[in-house]
Amino acid sequence: MGGAVDRGRGTNRLTRRLRARAGVAIIALVAAASVAAAQVDGFGDRDLPEDAQMLLSADTLVYDNDRNTITAVGGVQIEYAGNRLVAQRVTYDRSTSRVIASGNVEIIESDGNRIYADQIDVTDDFSDGFVEALRVETIDETYFAAESAERAGGRVTTFNRGVYTACEPCEERPDRPPLWQVKARKIIWDGEAKTIRFERARFEFFGVPLAFLPAFEIADPTVKRKSGFLMPSILGGSERGYGVKVPYYLALSPTYDLTVAVTPYSKQGFLGEAEWRQQFNNGRYNLKIAGISQQEPEAWENWEVDRLQEERGMIGSQGHFDINPRWSFGWDVLVQSDKNFSRTYEIEGFDQAVHRSEVYLTGLDDRNYFDLHAYRFQVQEDSIGGRHASQPWVLPSFDYSYTPDEPLAGGELNLDVNAQGLYRDEGMYNPTKLQGLKGDSARLTAQAEWKRSFVTDNGLVLTPILHARGDTIHANLSPEAVGRIESFTIDGAQTQSDIRTSYYRAMATAGLEARWPVLFSTASSTHVLEPTGQIFVRPDEPYHDKLGIPNEDAQSMVFDASTLFERDKFSGYDRIEGGTRANLGIRYSGRFGDGWTAHGLFGQSYHLGGVNSYASADLVNAGAYSGLETDISDFVGLVGITTPGGLSLSAGGRFDEETFALRRTDLRAGATVGPVTANVQYAFIEAQPLYGFDEDRREVSGGTSVRLHENWRAFASGTYDLEKQIMVKNSFGFAYDDECFIYTMRFSQERDRNNGEQEFSFGFNISLRTLGEFGTASGAFGRTN
């Protein structure tokens, strides 16, 4: 046996010998530990540079020529290709081509993984090895431990009496069990198949065994897409019965995959689902199908007749593609056997109460945009009849806006084009308004607006406004719709009707806006008061005294402080504001030195000449109760306050022009104080009989979330109808979340305002990082009257 040599010469000799074998020792040790981490592709796949420099330092180097070994002893440190090994002893046996490291072995890989062991024994071709008392900390914060680990065949590593978790050890009490962990007699990692198999495993929560499994398998955590079963979920309700959804994922290629699932329901039988997804460089799309042959259709009681059919199903697809940085194209389409299948069976992505099926093409360039849509709202409801059938097909909806970069006559020019085509195969009527006419209609609108601001020496800002618009309208209404229009009355008096197929109308507007912002400041605050006045002069609205022109997009008429200074206060294009009108008001904004801010607006609108469009006959009574139907409008105002402590308050309202009685209001408050976040809203709307609301509407709603602990959170929300004195909907629950575990539970209740029928639902979800999710959908589990 050779004697010891000094550290410097020993380092050079060992470096030369090992470099001749392409750094066998450190490569083998690092590769063995990498396998134990189960986070790399496999020994043979490691790409270490052949010309990499290896640095070794140790207290003593021993050459044993009889045993043909080289041993580094005492404070051994080896660095190679970004990897680092620390041990008390490293021996390289040249006759068996084995490398053994022992004594508090620690390996830090170039990617950040850390491996700890009492001893590592591995061959220099990386195919076989053995590790004692192994502990692995990976860069993505997953943790392995085992009494020992063996590697065989160059691809399979077996952890004996292994433990796996994605929970970080407690710094204060490292001996305390993690939140969850999986213990197994054997953990077998297949580097070629990219799988980790647990044999005779048990799942522990806070160290307490909760589930025992003979065997189960998951994908290597480094694998993002791999075929196999996904976590099941519990679904169900009183009519469907209860079932467990079991999905299976097929990773067919790097760019497309398929997920199939079956859900056996205790009452209705087997629901089958399949979803195809494909990704491209500039977008993606999916195709989803689902179907069931119901075993007990009569379980739906007397709700929707369509539900009584045995065969039910759907086909849906969604997609989005970026043609270039400015243009995009996409769709979201749902076709189903009846109007409520997808919502009834909770088909993910298509289970909204109102699903919008659409195809679109959009373009955006600075301030210019192009938007072309074809869509239909699909109301998924339980009731017979209802709103679904009366929803129109919108073919198409088109908007184009263009603002030239260069000013025109020193001002800004904006050009807009809007087109809308609708087809409705069932009308939407009630005794007081005709919300939707059976038949088809189309409208094309083009308009231009020019405005320029001038600032006088005393700070007055004057902005002249010129606007021109033209419309062509075509209506092909059914005899039923024509009959409804001819018999339609407003306030008990029959109105004049003009049932034609084509209409043409134009409107020109000249306006002037004057603003005079005045600044007041103190040592600790600034205040800006801005009196504002507008006047718009234009002819009367064409066809203001006739009926027959459909109103589809200007039905939601709300006059408040946010619309006080609008040139046209109708919400859409189907109505045009005519006549001469003035708007007067004052704005306020203030900032205070301690972080408080405040803002407000108050004003009124005046009809000065011509016919008041908001007092004119309309099939949907768009101007009724708006506060604009009289020559002097109601007062409108808003005020808001924010504080540095996280509190915000806002109030808006509309008040009678004579009595100042409250017509409409919206009060909001929100705050974040320490661990508590809360918001509350109060809304009041005066009775609107022509809209079908014979009584005042008052309701209060709110929500809160409380952080009970670093990881625990409770939340609740609700809406209460103050007029009918019923809780319309409420929900509450709690959640736990940390770096490796998420749990949420929610209970909710909804009540129909008219018949009092209640629907209850409950849901929970458990997410274990790297293992998957498990839970229930928040489906209805009961109803009462």
Side-chain angles (χ1 to χ4, degrees), residues 272-345:
E273 299 177 63
E275 181 179 19
W276 171 274
R277 302 185 307 172
Q278 188 163 7
Q279 183 81 32
F280 299 87
N281 290 334
N282 65 333
R284 48 87 189 139
Y285 79 95
N286 74 317
L287 177 65
K288 194 162 197 171
I289 61 173
I292 190 172
S293 178
Q294 296 185 149
Q295 293 180 347
E296 298 183 33
E298 64 277 4
W300 300 114
E301 298 178 351
N302 296 321
W303 290 2
E304 172 56 57
V305 174
D306 290 343
R307 293 187 178 206
L308 298 180
Q309 65 191 44
E310 293 184 359
E311 311 297 330
R312 302 178 67 188
M314 60 79 66
I315 300 177
S317 180
Q318 298 163 328
H320 179 86
F321 291 88
D322 294 319
I323 301 173
N324 56 42
R326 297 178 180 177
W327 289 88
S328 62
F329 167 74
W331 67 87
D332 184 345
V333 178
L334 169 63
V335 179
Q336 52 187 354
S337 58
D338 54 89
K339 66 181 180 182
N340 201 28
F341 170 77
S342 296
R343 182 169 172 80
T344 298
Y345 284 97

Side-chain angles (χ1 to χ4, degrees), residues 353-562:
V354 179
H355 182 272
R356 174 168 166 163
S357 286
E358 63 180 340
V359 180
Y360 60 87
L361 173 66
T362 60
L364 181 64
D365 179 21
D366 196 14
R367 293 182 295 173
N368 310 318
Y369 68 88
F370 174 102
D371 184 279
L372 179 63
H373 270 74
Y375 62 87
R376 188 192 186 201
F377 292 103
Q378 296 170 275
V379 182
Q380 302 198 67
E381 55 192 346
D382 295 331
S383 60
I384 298 175
R387 297 177 298 152
H388 175 75
S390 56
Q391 297 300 311
W393 293 91
V394 183
L395 306 167
S397 171
F398 172 70
D399 280 287
Y400 176 73
S401 178
Y402 174 68
T403 301
D405 294 331
E406 299 298 324
L408 177 65
E412 180 182 273
L413 176 67
N414 180 259
L415 304 174
D416 288 294
V417 178
N418 175 269
Q420 176 181 278
L422 293 98
Y423 171 75
R424 179 182 278 106
D425 56 12
E426 184 175 315
M428 185 183 296
Y429 314 121
N430 67 42
T432 59
K433 58 180 177 177
L434 309 183
Q435 291 176 282
L437 303 174
K438 182 178 180 179
D440 59 85
S441 62
R443 175 187 41 76
L444 175 63
T445 298
Q447 59 182 358
E449 182 182 70
W450 176 89
K451 58 185 178 182
R452 179 181 180 183
S453 294
F454 300 88
V455 183
T456 65
D457 294 339
N458 60 0
L460 180 66
V461 181
L462 298 173
T463 304
I465 301 171
L466 298 176
H467 177 265
R469 166 177 167 171
D471 300 87
T472 177
I473 303 168
H474 173 79
N476 182 22
L477 305 178
S478 69
E480 172 194 327
V482 173
R484 295 269 186 167
I485 295 173
E486 291 176 340
S487 63
F488 189 64
T489 61
I490 296 180
D491 294 333
Q494 178 138 359
T495 58
Q496 299 183 57
S497 61
D498 185 4
I499 310 300
R500 296 188 292 171
T501 58
S502 298
Y503 303 83
Y504 304 94
R505 64 187 182 190
M507 178 65 69
T509 303
L512 177 66
E513 178 183 83
R515 296 183 291 112
W516 192 13
V518 181
L519 173 66
F520 302 90
S521 62
T522 66
S524 60
S525 64
T526 59
H527 309 268
V528 177
L529 287 173
E530 187 178 44
T532 302
Q534 294 176 325
I535 185 169
F536 295 102
V537 180
R538 54 202 158 200
D540 294 340
E541 177 188 6
Y543 307 110
H544 65 86
D545 57 347
K546 308 289 185 182
L547 298 180
I549 300 179
N551 180 1
E552 296 284 354
D553 70 350
Q555 297 186 11
S556 57
M557 179 67 231
V558 177
F559 173 52
D560 57 19
S562 66

Side-chain angles (χ1 to χ4, degrees), residues 559 602-606 626-636 654-663:
F559 173 52
F602 188 81
Q604 197 172 27
S605 183
Y606 305 87
S626 66
L628 293 165
E629 67 271 24
T630 55
D631 287 345
I632 300 177
S633 80
D634 289 344
F635 293 99
V636 292
R654 180 163 60 86
F655 308 89
D656 186 89
E657 79 276 10
E658 295 180 354
T659 66
F660 212 69
L662 185 63
R663 302 275 189 202

Side-chain angles (χ1 to χ4, degrees), residues 26 29-31 33-34 40 46-49 52 78-85 106-115 137-139:
I26 185 63
L29 288 167
V30 170
S34 300
V40 296
R46 273 199 174 272
D47 236 352
L48 295 176
I78 304 176
E79 295 186 10
Y80 183 82
N83 302 282
R84 183 183 181 191
L85 166 70
E106 178 181 356
I107 295 178
I108 302 176
E109 295 184 288
S110 58
D111 58 7
N113 291 339
R114 291 176 177 266
I115 300 95
E137 298 178 5
T138 69
I139 189 63

Side-chain angles (χ1 to χ4, degrees), residues 16-233:
R16 287 196 299 271
R17 290 176 181 272
L18 293 182
R19 188 179 299 162
R21 298 290 307 257
V24 160
I26 185 63
I27 296 174
L29 288 167
V30 170
S34 300
V35 171
Q39 300 292 308
V40 296
D41 287 344
F43 294 167
D45 297 333
R46 273 199 174 272
D47 236 352
L48 295 176
E50 294 183 358
D51 59 348
Q53 297 293 314
M54 184 178 68
L55 302 177
L56 182 149
S57 63
D59 294 340
T60 304
L61 290 181
V62 178
Y63 294 82
D64 190 331
N65 294 321
D66 296 333
R67 298 182 179 179
N68 201 22
T69 62
I70 304 173
T71 304
V73 182
V76 182
Q77 296 188 35
I78 304 176
E79 295 186 10
Y80 183 82
N83 302 282
R84 183 183 181 191
L85 166 70
V86 177
Q88 291 300 312
R89 184 185 186 93
V90 176
T91 299
Y92 176 48
D93 190 325
R94 290 178 289 184
S95 60
T96 61
S97 297
R98 300 192 73 87
V99 179
I100 301 173
S102 59
N104 298 322
V105 181
E106 178 181 356
I107 295 178
I108 302 176
E109 295 184 288
S110 58
D111 58 7
N113 291 339
R114 291 176 177 266
I115 300 95
Y116 306 89
D118 288 348
Q119 179 173 303
I120 296 179
D121 181 347
V122 68
T123 59
D124 64 3
D125 64 356
F126 321 141
S127 61
D128 299 285
F130 182 83
V131 183
E132 291 183 358
L134 174 70
R135 183 164 58 92
V136 179
E137 298 178 5
T138 69
I139 189 63
D140 66 345
E141 296 180 335
T142 57
Y143 305 89
F144 288 83
E147 291 184 359
S148 63
E150 301 176 29
R151 177 167 179 80
R155 70 180 186 90
V156 177
T157 302
T158 301
F159 300 86
N160 300 308
R161 298 191 179 278
V163 179
Y164 170 78
T165 184
C167 300
E168 185 176 354
C170 178
E171 294 183 1
E172 299 177 356
R173 296 179 54 189
D175 58 333
R176 187 176 68 177
L179 182 65
W180 66 264
Q181 62 184 358
V182 179
K183 289 185 176 180
R185 178 68 63 86
K186 290 183 182 293
I187 301 177
I188 303 172
W189 178 72
D190 191 322
E192 183 176 313
K194 304 292 186 183
T195 60
I196 300 177
R197 179 179 175 82
F198 298 82
E199 294 185 352
R200 301 187 66 180
R202 68 176 184 265
F203 177 83
E204 294 185 357
F205 195 76
F206 283 116
V208 178
L210 294 182
F212 295 86
L213 297 171
F216 73 95
E217 188 175 277
I218 64 173
D220 182 324
T222 61
V223 177
K224 304 304 180 184
R225 304 171 69 254
K226 182 172 178 60
S227 299
F229 285 100
L230 303 178
M231 280 289 185
S233 57

